[in-house]
Amino acid sequence: MESVRSRGDVTSDVPQIRGNREVQCDVLAALAECRNHRKWFAQFAEPYLGDSPIEIGSGLGDYAREWIPLVSSFTATDADPASVLELKKEMAPYPGVSVRQVTLPASERAEHSCLIAYNVLEHIDDHVEALRSMRRLVRPGAYIVLVCPAFPFAMSKVDVATGHVRRYTKRSMRAALSSAGLEIVSVRYANSLGLLCYYAFTSLLGKTPSEGGTMTFYDRLVVPVVRLAERIIARPPFGQSVLAIARAGGGRAVPAEAARSAWAAGSAEAAGSAEAAGTLDGR
């Protein structure tokens, strides 16, 4: 799998990106301001990164910047040709970072140490085949870390405009992972209060997330409280997102040191999942 090195390496011969481009850009810009939320969710993947992870759907590279200092090499990707070219500019200052155009499902194979896909799977019609594609992009025993929007009742005009074809429950996520032949390590909800705020903001009030204002208030004042609460209540009964940790068959699991670091970072669920998989004692 080669890095994108020039405009000629980016092809427009991909399925049309679903949704409203203007709304998608506005939402990405708004999310880029949510520093507390980003750092919180970035920690979910940290114990599983390994030395050379790949991120599917890197967008503006906001999450990539959180993970790049922790790894030897990093591959950032996007399906949209325009986004790939912009991502190349954003990632240019970072040595060891490759940028590629990747559209799933795909038949490519690679040996990445981990695959991260945040808010990607809900855009893909054949999500089971997309998960099989993800499995082919990592080495045996590597982890796949997914974050997807939760609960179909919260599907709003914003979801449609940003190209979502579904929202998940824990049950539907587990079914997709199992159908793709992945080993399920953990599936849980995250950002419980975020679901209520999102539903009220988008479905009841009919608004679209934008820079400043409500998003800034939520990120600065609400997210730290919710994050603290979910360190105590490791498995909230609902949330704005479904967090799934899966594993490609074969190979060794995540090192014990990485799992322990999850506890130190406040990601009790990630460390608990690793323990359940028998990694804390070296099994």
Side-chain angles (χ1 to χ4, degrees):
M1 297 174 64
E2 297 181 353
S3 303
V4 173
R5 296 185 179 88
S6 68
R7 181 176 294 270
D9 292 321
V10 181
T11 175
S12 59
D13 186 22
V14 296
Q16 185 175 357
I17 305 299
R18 181 185 284 109
N20 184 305
R21 176 76 179 176
E22 183 178 353
V23 173
Q24 291 170 348
C25 290
D26 288 345
V27 171
L28 282 175
L31 292 175
E33 289 190 336
C34 296
R35 185 171 179 270
N36 288 325
H37 183 277
R38 181 170 66 252
K39 287 188 172 294
W40 175 24
F41 271 56
Q43 285 188 341
F44 292 141
E46 287 180 9
Y48 308 103
L49 292 175
D51 58 347
S52 57
I54 181 172
E55 181 187 15
I56 302 297
S58 300
L60 301 176
D62 297 310
Y63 277 108
R65 293 184 187 90
E66 301 291 335
W67 296 316
I68 288 168
L70 307 177
V71 301
S72 301
S73 63
F74 190 90
T75 301
T77 77
D78 207 282
D80 179 35
S83 296
V84 172
L85 295 173
E86 185 63 30
L87 189 58
K88 274 178 57 65
K89 298 176 185 177
E90 295 291 332
M91 295 292 103
Y94 300 95
V97 176
S98 299
V99 178
R100 294 198 63 249
Q101 183 178 8
V102 172
T103 304
L104 300 182
S107 59
E108 297 180 64
R109 293 185 177 273
E111 291 285 324
H112 291 285
S113 61
C114 176
L115 184 146
I116 317 111
Y118 279 16
N119 300 311
V120 170
L121 202 61
E122 67 274 11
H123 294 267
I124 302 173
D125 288 316
D126 192 345
H127 61 165
V128 172
E129 190 55 42
L131 287 167
R132 293 189 181 115
S133 299
M134 293 180 187
R135 186 182 62 187
R136 289 191 288 268
L137 290 172
V138 298
R139 64 186 64 146
Y143 287 90
I144 294 172
V145 184
L146 307 170
V147 168
C148 297
F151 291 103
F153 78 81
M155 181 73 77
S156 68
K157 68 177 185 179
V158 175
D159 288 80
V160 175
T162 51
H164 295 178
V165 296
R166 72 184 69 80
R167 296 177 71 93
Y168 289 85
T169 63
K170 290 193 297 184
R171 177 177 294 182
S172 64
M173 176 60 75
R174 285 181 176 275
L177 294 171
S178 296
S179 296
L182 291 165
E183 175 188 330
I184 298 172
V185 177
S186 174
V187 178
R188 74 170 179 97
Y189 296 119
N191 194 11
S192 50
L193 188 55
L195 175 66
L196 304 180
C197 293
Y198 179 83
Y199 180 75
F201 192 72
T202 62
S203 294
L204 300 183
L205 299 179
K207 295 184 178 294
T208 299
S210 58
E211 296 178 77
T214 304
M215 292 288 287
T216 301
F217 172 83
Y218 179 80
D219 187 63
R220 292 180 179 177
L221 299 180
V222 179
V223 167
V225 175
V226 179
R227 180 178 180 179
L228 177 61
E230 293 188 10
R231 288 180 63 180
I232 300 170
I233 306 172
R235 288 183 172 273
F238 57 88
Q240 185 178 4
S241 299
V242 174
L243 166 65
I245 313 294
R247 184 168 172 262
R252 296 182 58 189
V254 66
E257 292 79 11
R260 292 192 184 98
S261 73
W263 283 101
S267 180
E269 171 67 14
S273 301
E275 185 176 20
T279 60
L280 292 183
D281 61 0
R283 291 199 300 267

